[in-house]
């Protein structure tokens, strides 16, 4: 097949949507498909080129004049590349691909990564919509996308072509016990609740340190908040890290306190690294943690319950070790290879439907019926 992925950019900034799209493009090219990516560019262009994935530059910023230019440039790309499948990973891409689809023969696939955004319903413009969790699929049905148009393909980036194997990373010398999160510095990621929870347990566990790995627009708010606690010297803002695995390998407890989370890809990486995990019981997170089998779930926006869960693990080394071991079980389903295989199955399903439709149309022409 000839497969075209459309995404806003291919920058190395820890964006899970970009990471999944890049993984798919590389793996599909390895599988002898002809693959290209349309984006505004970024550091992953080098990796894509090394996997024989062609990259076309396309600025998709949401200004009216620029959107018109983007549609025109995209049309020219499609006319040259002649894709069988166009896979859109973000809202602007699916709109542009949907506008141009009428004059082309490709099938349009979209993946809903962030269903909490209002505009996520636009992903329903595609012929087939992939949801990254059952929770996302249910939400899309409630918002009007027909169930028959949806396919659930759980996210997974383990053994990705973007980075080495987990055993090839060197753990960092963190202060132990180490409590870590890897997340964008946004309020919706529960950073505030995590800082409050750490402040509640810090006196009882004077050796514990909190590591906040990530960057974002709300970072200064959280830094001010941490400075106003009595434990600011034990709360570390590490910024964006291209190799967060080095933190995870040295971490005792990994926390993802998100208010909303379609899947939580970072949890699969924390599981692979052998962290005990505490995460919010919200959206797709329970699926990522095997429905409480691989991690402890707490209510979102509840720093008190989060503090209690941290206390229980830090007080009981045996329980802590048990949760570390459980996190590393049943990880095969989070491989990038499995995601690619299931995604290709969606492509083939669409290609078969299109072929049948074309045969029927040709028969009608030949028979005059």
């Amino acid at each position: 097949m000839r497969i075209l992925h459309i995404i806003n950019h291919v920058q190395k900034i820890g964006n899970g949507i970009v990471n999944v799209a890049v993984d798919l493009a590389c793996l599909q090219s390895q599988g002898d498909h002809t693959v290209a990516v349309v984006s505004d560019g970024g550091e992953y262009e080098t990796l894509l080129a090394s996997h024989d994935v062609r990259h076309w530059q396309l600025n998709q910023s949401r200004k009216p004049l620029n959107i018109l230019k983007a549609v025109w440039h995209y049309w020219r790309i499609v006319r040259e590349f002649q894709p069988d499948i166009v896979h859109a990973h973000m809202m602007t891409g699916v709109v542009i691909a949907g506008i141009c689809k009428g004059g082309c023969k490709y099938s349009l696939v979209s993946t809903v990564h962030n269903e909490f955004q209002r505009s996520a319903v636009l992903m329903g413009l595609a012929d087939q919509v992939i949801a990254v969790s059952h929770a996302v699929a249910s939400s899309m049905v409630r918002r009007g996308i027909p169930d028959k148009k949806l396919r659930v393909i759980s996210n997974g980036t383990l053994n990705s072509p973007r980075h080495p194997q987990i055993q090839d990373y060197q753990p960092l010398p963190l202060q132990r016990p180490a409590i870590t999160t890897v997340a964008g510095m946004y309020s919706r990621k529960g950073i505030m609740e995590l800082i409050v929870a750490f402040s509640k347990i810090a006196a009882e566990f004077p050796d514990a340190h909190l590591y906040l790995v990530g960057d974002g627009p709300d970072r200064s708010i959280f830094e001010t908040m941490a400075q106003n606690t009595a434990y600011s010297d034990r709360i570390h803002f590490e910024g964006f890290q291209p190799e967060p695995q080095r933190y995870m390998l040295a971490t005792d407890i990994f926390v993802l306190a998100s208010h909303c989370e379609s899947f939580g890809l970072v949890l699969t990486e924390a599981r692979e690294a052998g962290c005990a995990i505490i995460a919010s019981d919200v959206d797709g997170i329970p699926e990522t943690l095997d429905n409480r089998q691989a991690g402890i779930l707490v209510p979102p926006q509840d720093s008190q319950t989060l503090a209690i869960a941290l206390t229980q693990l830090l007080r009981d080394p045996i329980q802590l070790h048990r949760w570390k071991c459980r996190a590393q079980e049943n990880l095969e389903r989070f491989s990038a290879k499995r995601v690619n295989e299931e995604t290709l199955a969606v492509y083939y399903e669409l290609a078969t439907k299109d072929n049948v439709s074309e045969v029927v149309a040709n028969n009608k022409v030949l028979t005059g019926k």
Side-chain angles (χ1 to χ4, degrees):
M1 284 187 289
R2 300 180 66 81
I3 303 165
L4 182 67
H5 292 273
I6 180 168
I7 192 165
N8 290 3
H9 62 79
V10 288
Q11 299 171 20
K12 288 185 180 180
I13 58 173
N15 186 309
I17 301 174
V18 172
N19 293 345
V20 169
V22 169
D23 285 349
L24 287 174
C26 292
L27 292 172
Q28 287 164 4
S29 183
Q30 288 178 11
D32 295 328
H33 300 285
T34 303
V35 185
V37 171
V38 171
S39 86
D40 200 23
E43 297 84 353
Y44 281 129
E45 286 184 57
T46 302
L47 176 67
L48 292 169
S50 72
H51 285 79
D52 296 321
V53 176
R54 183 171 181 179
H55 180 269
W56 268 288
Q57 197 85 14
L58 186 69
N59 182 344
Q60 300 166 58
S61 61
R62 298 180 185 180
K63 297 177 181 178
L65 182 58
N66 187 73
I67 289 294
L68 291 175
K69 290 180 179 178
V71 169
W72 169 246
H73 289 305
Y74 170 81
W75 173 260
R76 293 175 62 186
I77 291 167
V78 168
R79 296 293 290 179
E80 180 180 345
F81 186 65
Q82 294 290 309
D84 302 301
I85 297 287
V86 173
H87 191 156
H89 298 266
M90 293 178 174
M91 267 72 78
T92 307
V94 79
V95 170
I96 292 172
I99 290 171
C100 296
K101 186 176 181 296
C104 304
K105 293 184 178 180
Y106 61 75
S107 295
L108 179 56
V109 176
S110 67
T111 296
V112 182
H113 295 270
N114 290 331
E115 55 80 25
F116 58 85
Q117 296 176 333
R118 289 183 179 181
S119 54
V121 72
L122 292 174
M123 304 305 270
L125 294 172
D127 301 303
Q128 200 80 62
V129 181
I130 295 172
V132 299
S133 67
H134 290 281
V136 168
S138 297
S139 176
M140 290 296 95
V141 169
R142 290 194 298 271
R143 295 169 71 174
I145 296 179
D147 185 62
K148 65 181 180 180
K149 188 181 270 194
L150 284 158
R151 298 291 182 274
V152 176
I153 299 179
S154 298
N155 253 344
T157 58
L158 302 189
N159 300 314
S160 162
R162 290 174 293 103
H163 52 65
Q165 298 293 307
I166 189 68
Q167 61 269 18
D168 295 327
Y169 288 100
Q170 184 65 34
L172 290 168
L174 303 185
Q175 301 278 354
R176 309 285 291 272
I179 302 166
T180 301
T181 193
V182 177
M185 293 291 109
Y186 298 90
S187 294
R188 63 180 173 82
K189 289 294 185 177
I191 307 299
M192 186 177 297
E193 289 81 3
L194 179 53
I195 293 172
V196 171
F198 181 77
S199 299
K200 291 176 181 290
I201 61 105
E204 182 176 351
F205 305 100
D207 294 329
H209 284 249
L210 175 61
Y211 294 89
L212 304 171
V213 180
D215 213 342
D218 298 334
R219 177 174 172 174
S220 61
I221 298 172
F222 303 139
E223 287 178 330
T224 300
M225 180 181 176
Q227 286 297 322
N228 290 331
T229 72
Y231 312 102
S232 59
D233 60 326
R234 292 158 55 194
I235 301 175
H236 311 278
F237 287 83
E238 300 296 295
F240 169 72
Q241 298 293 327
E243 295 183 336
Q245 292 86 353
R246 298 186 67 198
Y247 283 86
M248 296 177 188
L249 287 167
T251 290
D252 297 288
I253 304 172
F254 186 91
V255 179
L256 187 64
S258 300
H259 301 172
C260 54
E261 197 74 53
S262 296
F263 186 80
L265 267 174
V266 71
L267 291 174
T268 66
E269 296 173 347
R271 288 183 60 176
E272 184 183 40
C275 304
I277 295 173
I278 301 173
S280 299
D281 188 3
V282 64
D283 301 330
I285 286 180
E287 296 174 47
T288 315
L289 295 178
D290 299 343
N291 296 306
R292 301 180 186 271
Q293 297 303 304
I296 297 169
L297 295 175
V298 297
Q301 303 185 62
D302 187 343
S303 57
Q304 180 61 34
T305 304
L306 177 55
I308 291 170
L310 288 168
T311 298
Q312 290 173 342
L313 290 182
L314 292 172
R315 279 180 181 171
D316 188 345
I318 295 176
Q319 185 181 170
L320 178 63
H321 177 73
R322 184 182 301 122
W323 279 110
K324 288 183 177 183
C325 292
R326 291 176 69 171
Q328 291 184 297
E329 297 174 355
N330 304 316
L331 291 179
E332 298 81 7
R333 70 186 184 92
F334 299 117
S335 71
K337 177 182 176 183
R338 189 271 307 160
V339 175
N340 179 49
E341 290 172 349
E342 293 184 10
T343 301
L344 286 171
V346 171
Y347 298 170
Y348 284 124
E349 180 183 354
L350 279 173
T352 300
K353 287 180 181 178
D354 289 344
N355 288 337
V356 170
S357 297
E358 188 171 344
V359 169
V360 171
N362 288 339
N363 285 338
K364 286 182 178 179
V365 171
L366 291 171
T367 61
K369 297 180 180 180

